[in-house]
Amino acid sequence: MSGRRTFVELGVGVGFLALTSALAVNVLTPPAKPVERARRIVTNAMLQQASTGNKCARGRVALTFDDGPDIYTPQILRVLTAYKVRATFFVMGKKAAARPDLIRAEVRAGQLVENHSWDHPHMADLDPAQIRWQLAATQHAVTAAGAPAPGLFRPPFGNTSAQVDTTAKALGMRVIRWSIDTNDWRGRAPGDIAASVIDQAVAGSVVLMHDGVRQSAATVQALPTIIRSLRARGFCTALATG
C-alpha cells in the first residue's frame, strides 16, 4: 500500500514540476511577434501609364534605398521596373541573409546591391576587428544570395572614420554617402518626400530613401511622382557610382 502511495505521490510531483516548468517558460519567454505584412500600395492602375523616357538633358540623379531588403522592397522593385529605373540598394547583411530571395529579385531587376553593414551600427564606434566583420559578413551574405560582390559601402548614419574607409577599401569598396536626404524614415507624407527630392535635385544628386523601415509605405507612394518629376525636369535616373 505504501509503495502504491509513493508511486502516486511521485506522479503528482512530476506533474507539478511539469506544470511549473511550463508556467516558467511562458513567463520567461515572450510570445512571438506577429509577422508584419506590407500594405498594398502599388496597383496595376497606378502603373498603367508609367513613362519610360529617360533623357539626360540636365544630368543624372541617383535613387538609392537603404536598410533592406524588407517587406516593401518588392513594391519598390515593381515601380522601378515599370518606369525602367535602375537604382542602388544598400542592404543590411542580416536582412540579406534572412531574405536572399529579395536580393536575387533586385539583381534580376537590374538593380545594384551594395553594402550597408551587417546590423546598422555607428561604424566609427567599433574597433578594427568589428569594422571588418560588419563589412566582410555583409559581403558574404550578398554574394551567397547570388549578387555580385558590392563595390560600394554606405556607412549607417553617414558615420565613418579613417579606419572604416581603409577597411572598406581593403575589401574592394568605395565609401559613398548622399546629397539629398528625404527623411522618409521619420514618417513624412508621400508628397513631402517627393518635394524634398524635386526641390533639391541637381546634376549628380544622390537621393537617400529607405526600403527597409516601417515608414517605407510612404516612400513607395512617393516614388512614381519622384521619377516622373525628375524626368520632366530633364534629369535621368541613374545608378550611384560613388
Side-chain angles (χ1 to χ4, degrees):
M1 186 72 176
S2 62
R4 180 179 177 184
R5 185 169 56 218
T6 301
F7 180 78
V8 170
E9 289 172 349
L10 179 62
V12 170
V14 169
F16 178 75
L17 284 173
L19 176 61
T20 54
S21 296
L23 289 173
V25 168
N26 288 336
V27 170
L28 296 175
T29 305
K33 292 183 180 179
V35 176
E36 188 174 0
R37 297 186 181 278
R39 290 167 43 208
R40 187 184 179 208
I41 306 298
V42 179
T43 63
N44 290 333
M46 179 179 174
L47 300 179
Q48 275 179 349
Q49 298 185 8
S51 58
T52 57
N54 198 29
K55 295 180 180 179
C56 278
R58 294 182 60 192
R60 302 156 68 90
V61 173
L63 303 183
T64 71
F65 300 88
D66 282 13
D67 296 356
D70 216 309
I71 58 175
Y72 284 103
T73 302
Q75 294 189 69
I76 287 177
L77 288 175
R78 190 176 174 195
V79 173
L80 296 176
T81 298
Y83 282 88
K84 292 189 177 179
V85 173
R86 296 189 70 195
T88 307
F89 289 81
F90 289 93
V91 304
M92 292 169 59
K94 70 175 186 179
K95 290 187 176 182
R99 294 297 307 272
D101 57 314
L102 291 181
I103 298 295
R104 289 190 287 272
E106 291 170 351
V107 173
R108 285 195 302 271
Q111 314 305 334
L112 279 185
V113 180
E114 303 293 352
N115 193 316
H116 193 45
S117 81
W118 180 262
D119 57 3
H120 213 273
H122 286 274
M123 296 294 294
D125 294 342
L126 305 182
D127 64 38
Q130 292 171 323
I131 291 169
R132 185 174 182 84
W133 186 89
Q134 285 279 335
L135 299 181
T138 303
Q139 294 289 86
H140 176 74
V142 170
T143 56
L152 300 174
F153 171 62
R154 172 174 282 166
F157 315 103
N159 177 246
T160 188
S161 66
Q163 181 65 56
V164 173
D165 295 352
T166 298
T167 304
K169 184 177 181 180
L171 292 171
M173 290 179 286
R174 300 188 307 278
V175 174
I176 180 174
R177 294 183 181 80
W178 56 87
S179 58
I180 298 176
D181 188 349
T182 63
N183 284 297
D184 56 346
W185 60 273
R186 294 181 181 272
R188 303 183 74 193
D192 293 332
I193 294 170
S196 68
V197 179
I198 297 160
D199 293 346
Q200 299 180 67
V202 297
S205 290
V206 177
V207 180
L208 169 61
M209 294 177 282
H210 295 79
D211 67 318
V213 297
R214 181 172 297 178
Q215 297 82 359
S216 291
T219 304
V220 177
Q221 290 176 288
L223 191 53
T225 301
I226 291 170
I227 296 167
R228 288 195 303 266
S229 298
L230 286 173
R231 289 176 170 177
R233 286 162 171 75
F235 296 107
C236 64
T237 50
L239 293 171
T241 56

